[in-house]
Amino acid sequence: MLLVNEKDLVVPGQVLAENEYFPGRGTFKEDNRICSSFVGLVSVRNKKINVIPLQSKYIPKRGDVVIGEITDIRFSMWGLDINSPYTGLLPASEVFGKDKRELESVFDIGDVLLLRVVDVDEVKKVKLGLKGRGLGKFRDGILVYITPTKVPRLIGKRGSMINMVKEKTHCDIVVGQNGVVWIKGEPDMERIAEKVVLMIDREAHTSGLTDRVRELLDRLTGVEPEIQVEESEGTEKPETPESEDFEEASDYSEDVEVSPESEDIEEVSDESEDLEVESEDVEEGTDTPAAEEDDGEAGDAEVKDENNSER
């Protein structure tokens, strides 16, 4: 018997269901009862009960597309902060194959990159890669951090929410599945977009959010309010960054195109063709690698953007 409703707010230890239901993420089973492990929202799918935590850290999964900031340069790899308890590692071989170069001449501490999670081993060692169109280094812009499980709400159904923010602020916005959001535009519009993104993060579990976001955007940007129908949350596949402020990884290594239907990541071969770095001449791609899909669990997110940049 189900004792709660979809999207109900629950607390740790609260009994959610009995007997014929099965425990999912964020729950545990005690006798014949399923209880919540977190403060979060209930999600029920095919007799399986999950609780999406209102606050959580990003746990990397193979295939995720994330935004990371370089915090460390080692002998043969870069270390990146990916908004997770685990540090991301970008091997030099993922960037320029067998060739030996000074790592600082390509990426330096503080650079912000759009990457794919290539592998996560049993001790949570996170290997990152830049192979595939649409991945590379940003220029300028600001970073905003949100709860990773709120990313689907920020994106909205068929990208409705994030597209509304981009259209009204005229900013380029990229959303990483790790809850890191990159924003680039006029300084005042960047701050407006940041304020709206943080509002969505705080109020993602409430109803009527789309209308409140639209009203806030109209008020802050000085635009006449528009009458529109609210669309519910959803997810959408990442779009290829096309901004001139985004420097693709193909400047540094052979560009391996990954089909949007592919569930696996094509790793860089040791025989990768070496391409000369030209920071001012950026080749832009048109396809973004598709992230490996989860089993329908709420909280998985996807990257959204049409325009990216090098910081």
Side-chain angles (χ1 to χ4, degrees), residues 15 23 31 52 57 64 88 110 145 190 196 198 209-210 213 216 221 259 301:
V15 179
D31 297 328
I52 306 168
K57 288 293 185 180
D64 284 356
Y145 294 83
E190 286 181 354
V196 171
L198 293 176
L209 179 60
T210 302
V213 168
L216 178 62
T221 59
S259 169

PDB file of all heavy atoms in Angstrom, residues 15 23 31 52 57 64 88 110 145 190 196 198 209-210 213 216 221 259 301:
ATOM      1  N   VAL A  15       7.714   6.463   6.667  1.00  0.00           N
ATOM      2  CA  VAL A  15       7.248   5.274   5.950  1.00  0.00           C
ATOM      3  C   VAL A  15       6.531   5.715   4.676  1.00  0.00           C
ATOM      4  O   VAL A  15       5.605   6.532   4.713  1.00  0.00           O
ATOM      5  CB  VAL A  15       6.310   4.430   6.825  1.00  0.00           C
ATOM      6  CG1 VAL A  15       5.817   3.212   6.045  1.00  0.00           C
ATOM      7  CG2 VAL A  15       7.016   3.993   8.099  1.00  0.00           C
ATOM      8  N   PRO A  23      11.965  -0.836  -2.829  1.00  0.00           N
ATOM      9  CA  PRO A  23      12.795   0.334  -2.506  1.00  0.00           C
ATOM     10  C   PRO A  23      13.702   0.716  -3.672  1.00  0.00           C
ATOM     11  O   PRO A  23      14.266  -0.144  -4.347  1.00  0.00           O
ATOM     12  CB  PRO A  23      13.617  -0.143  -1.306  1.00  0.00           C
ATOM     13  CG  PRO A  23      13.703  -1.629  -1.482  1.00  0.00           C
ATOM     14  CD  PRO A  23      12.417  -2.048  -2.121  1.00  0.00           C
ATOM     15  N   ASP A  31      11.598  -4.435   7.587  1.00  0.00           N
ATOM     16  CA  ASP A  31      10.486  -5.392   7.612  1.00  0.00           C
ATOM     17  C   ASP A  31       9.774  -5.322   6.260  1.00  0.00           C
ATOM     18  O   ASP A  31      10.393  -5.494   5.231  1.00  0.00           O
ATOM     19  CB  ASP A  31       9.541  -5.094   8.780  1.00  0.00           C
ATOM     20  CG  ASP A  31      10.253  -5.254  10.127  1.00  0.00           C
ATOM     21  OD1 ASP A  31      11.159  -6.104  10.216  1.00  0.00           O
ATOM     22  OD2 ASP A  31       9.915  -4.513  11.070  1.00  0.00           O
ATOM     23  N   ILE A  52      14.137  11.751  -4.175  1.00  0.00           N
ATOM     24  CA  ILE A  52      15.123  12.654  -4.753  1.00  0.00           C
ATOM     25  C   ILE A  52      15.520  13.666  -3.688  1.00  0.00           C
ATOM     26  O   ILE A  52      14.698  14.477  -3.262  1.00  0.00           O
ATOM     27  CB  ILE A  52      14.540  13.394  -5.965  1.00  0.00           C
ATOM     28  CG1 ILE A  52      13.974  12.398  -6.972  1.00  0.00           C
ATOM     29  CG2 ILE A  52      15.596  14.276  -6.616  1.00  0.00           C
ATOM     30  CD1 ILE A  52      13.126  13.036  -8.039  1.00  0.00           C
ATOM     31  N   LYS A  57      25.241  15.849  -3.365  1.00  0.00           N
ATOM     32  CA  LYS A  57      26.470  16.048  -4.119  1.00  0.00           C
ATOM     33  C   LYS A  57      26.401  15.244  -5.411  1.00  0.00           C
ATOM     34  O   LYS A  57      25.704  14.235  -5.500  1.00  0.00           O
ATOM     35  CB  LYS A  57      27.682  15.612  -3.291  1.00  0.00           C
ATOM     36  CG  LYS A  57      28.018  16.547  -2.140  1.00  0.00           C
ATOM     37  CD  LYS A  57      28.496  17.891  -2.649  1.00  0.00           C
ATOM     38  CE  LYS A  57      28.942  18.793  -1.520  1.00  0.00           C
ATOM     39  NZ  LYS A  57      29.407  20.114  -2.021  1.00  0.00           N
ATOM     40  N   ASP A  64      28.388  10.925 -18.402  1.00  0.00           N
ATOM     41  CA  ASP A  64      27.906  12.258 -18.039  1.00  0.00           C
ATOM     42  C   ASP A  64      28.738  13.338 -18.726  1.00  0.00           C
ATOM     43  O   ASP A  64      29.945  13.193 -18.912  1.00  0.00           O
ATOM     44  CB  ASP A  64      27.986  12.466 -16.523  1.00  0.00           C
ATOM     45  CG  ASP A  64      26.893  11.737 -15.772  1.00  0.00           C
ATOM     46  OD1 ASP A  64      26.021  11.137 -16.429  1.00  0.00           O
ATOM     47  OD2 ASP A  64      26.910  11.764 -14.524  1.00  0.00           O
ATOM     48  N   GLY A  88      38.058  15.068 -10.631  1.00  0.00           N
ATOM     49  CA  GLY A  88      38.135  14.560 -11.992  1.00  0.00           C
ATOM     50  C   GLY A  88      39.558  14.654 -12.514  1.00  0.00           C
ATOM     51  O   GLY A  88      40.279  15.611 -12.215  1.00  0.00           O
ATOM     52  N   GLY A 110      42.586  27.216 -13.314  1.00  0.00           N
ATOM     53  CA  GLY A 110      41.523  28.210 -13.440  1.00  0.00           C
ATOM     54  C   GLY A 110      40.729  28.094 -14.722  1.00  0.00           C
ATOM     55  O   GLY A 110      39.631  28.657 -14.819  1.00  0.00           O
ATOM     56  N   TYR A 145      26.569  27.395  -9.240  1.00  0.00           N
ATOM     57  CA  TYR A 145      26.474  26.015  -8.760  1.00  0.00           C
ATOM     58  C   TYR A 145      25.080  25.758  -8.194  1.00  0.00           C
ATOM     59  O   TYR A 145      24.595  26.517  -7.347  1.00  0.00           O
ATOM     60  CB  TYR A 145      27.530  25.752  -7.688  1.00  0.00           C
ATOM     61  CG  TYR A 145      28.942  25.823  -8.219  1.00  0.00           C
ATOM     62  CD1 TYR A 145      29.594  27.047  -8.346  1.00  0.00           C
ATOM     63  CD2 TYR A 145      29.618  24.674  -8.617  1.00  0.00           C
ATOM     64  CE1 TYR A 145      30.885  27.124  -8.853  1.00  0.00           C
ATOM     65  CE2 TYR A 145      30.908  24.738  -9.118  1.00  0.00           C
ATOM     66  CZ  TYR A 145      31.536  25.962  -9.236  1.00  0.00           C
ATOM     67  OH  TYR A 145      32.812  26.028  -9.742  1.00  0.00           O
ATOM     68  N   GLU A 190      24.171  38.786 -17.023  1.00  0.00           N
ATOM     69  CA  GLU A 190      24.733  37.606 -16.368  1.00  0.00           C
ATOM     70  C   GLU A 190      24.221  37.500 -14.938  1.00  0.00           C
ATOM     71  O   GLU A 190      23.866  36.411 -14.470  1.00  0.00           O
ATOM     72  CB  GLU A 190      26.262  37.679 -16.352  1.00  0.00           C
ATOM     73  CG  GLU A 190      26.924  37.414 -17.683  1.00  0.00           C
ATOM     74  CD  GLU A 190      28.440  37.469 -17.602  1.00  0.00           C
ATOM     75  OE1 GLU A 190      28.967  37.826 -16.523  1.00  0.00           O
ATOM     76  OE2 GLU A 190      29.104  37.157 -18.603  1.00  0.00           O
ATOM     77  N   VAL A 196      18.117  34.176 -11.414  1.00  0.00           N
ATOM     78  CA  VAL A 196      16.997  33.323 -11.813  1.00  0.00           C
ATOM     79  C   VAL A 196      17.355  31.845 -11.654  1.00  0.00           C
ATOM     80  O   VAL A 196      16.547  31.041 -11.171  1.00  0.00           O
ATOM     81  CB  VAL A 196      16.587  33.636 -13.265  1.00  0.00           C
ATOM     82  CG1 VAL A 196      15.571  32.614 -13.766  1.00  0.00           C
ATOM     83  CG2 VAL A 196      16.008  35.044 -13.367  1.00  0.00           C
ATOM     84  N   LEU A 198      19.466  30.505  -9.558  1.00  0.00           N
ATOM     85  CA  LEU A 198      19.471  30.168  -8.132  1.00  0.00           C
ATOM     86  C   LEU A 198      18.056  30.101  -7.565  1.00  0.00           C
ATOM     87  O   LEU A 198      17.771  29.298  -6.669  1.00  0.00           O
ATOM     88  CB  LEU A 198      20.308  31.194  -7.361  1.00  0.00           C
ATOM     89  CG  LEU A 198      21.813  31.164  -7.672  1.00  0.00           C
ATOM     90  CD1 LEU A 198      22.535  32.290  -6.941  1.00  0.00           C
ATOM     91  CD2 LEU A 198      22.417  29.815  -7.298  1.00  0.00           C
ATOM     92  N   LEU A 209       6.167  27.355 -10.721  1.00  0.00           N
ATOM     93  CA  LEU A 209       7.502  27.953 -10.804  1.00  0.00           C
ATOM     94  C   LEU A 209       7.726  28.687 -12.120  1.00  0.00           C
ATOM     95  O   LEU A 209       8.323  29.767 -12.143  1.00  0.00           O
ATOM     96  CB  LEU A 209       8.566  26.868 -10.621  1.00  0.00           C
ATOM     97  CG  LEU A 209      10.020  27.323 -10.706  1.00  0.00           C
ATOM     98  CD1 LEU A 209      10.319  28.368  -9.637  1.00  0.00           C
ATOM     99  CD2 LEU A 209      10.964  26.134 -10.564  1.00  0.00           C
ATOM    100  N   THR A 210       7.243  28.127 -13.220  1.00  0.00           N
ATOM    101  CA  THR A 210       7.475  28.756 -14.525  1.00  0.00           C
ATOM    102  C   THR A 210       6.904  30.163 -14.576  1.00  0.00           C
ATOM    103  O   THR A 210       7.547  31.093 -15.077  1.00  0.00           O
ATOM    104  CB  THR A 210       6.868  27.898 -15.651  1.00  0.00           C
ATOM    105  OG1 THR A 210       7.448  26.595 -15.616  1.00  0.00           O
ATOM    106  CG2 THR A 210       7.142  28.524 -17.011  1.00  0.00           C
ATOM    107  N   VAL A 213       9.094  32.487 -12.493  1.00  0.00           N
ATOM    108  CA  VAL A 213      10.356  32.774 -13.182  1.00  0.00           C
ATOM    109  C   VAL A 213      10.125  33.796 -14.291  1.00  0.00           C
ATOM    110  O   VAL A 213      10.901  34.743 -14.458  1.00  0.00           O
ATOM    111  CB  VAL A 213      10.965  31.477 -13.758  1.00  0.00           C
ATOM    112  CG1 VAL A 213      12.109  31.796 -14.711  1.00  0.00           C
ATOM    113  CG2 VAL A 213      11.456  30.582 -12.633  1.00  0.00           C
ATOM    114  N   LEU A 216       9.637  37.227 -12.764  1.00  0.00           N
ATOM    115  CA  LEU A 216      10.899  37.776 -12.272  1.00  0.00           C
ATOM    116  C   LEU A 216      11.765  38.271 -13.428  1.00  0.00           C
ATOM    117  O   LEU A 216      12.352  39.361 -13.358  1.00  0.00           O
ATOM    118  CB  LEU A 216      11.649  36.717 -11.466  1.00  0.00           C
ATOM    119  CG  LEU A 216      13.024  37.129 -10.923  1.00  0.00           C
ATOM    120  CD1 LEU A 216      12.887  38.305  -9.961  1.00  0.00           C
ATOM    121  CD2 LEU A 216      13.708  35.951 -10.227  1.00  0.00           C
ATOM    122  N   THR A 221      14.323  42.540 -16.304  1.00  0.00           N
ATOM    123  CA  THR A 221      14.786  42.994 -17.622  1.00  0.00           C
ATOM    124  C   THR A 221      13.953  44.140 -18.171  1.00  0.00           C
ATOM    125  O   THR A 221      14.271  44.692 -19.229  1.00  0.00           O
ATOM    126  CB  THR A 221      14.758  41.830 -18.628  1.00  0.00           C
ATOM    127  OG1 THR A 221      13.420  41.312 -18.737  1.00  0.00           O
ATOM    128  CG2 THR A 221      15.693  40.719 -18.187  1.00  0.00           C
ATOM    129  N   SER A 259      28.294   9.357 -32.253  1.00  0.00           N
ATOM    130  CA  SER A 259      26.906   9.413 -32.692  1.00  0.00           C
ATOM    131  C   SER A 259      25.991   9.693 -31.523  1.00  0.00           C
ATOM    132  O   SER A 259      26.181   9.177 -30.432  1.00  0.00           O
ATOM    133  CB  SER A 259      26.519   8.076 -33.329  1.00  0.00           C
ATOM    134  OG  SER A 259      25.129   8.013 -33.533  1.00  0.00           O
ATOM    135  N   ALA A 301      20.524  14.583 -15.247  1.00  0.00           N
ATOM    136  CA  ALA A 301      20.393  15.820 -15.950  1.00  0.00           C
ATOM    137  C   ALA A 301      21.135  15.779 -17.231  1.00  0.00           C
ATOM    138  O   ALA A 301      21.935  14.924 -17.453  1.00  0.00           O
ATOM    139  CB  ALA A 301      20.917  16.940 -15.096  1.00  0.00           C
TER     140      ALA A 301
END
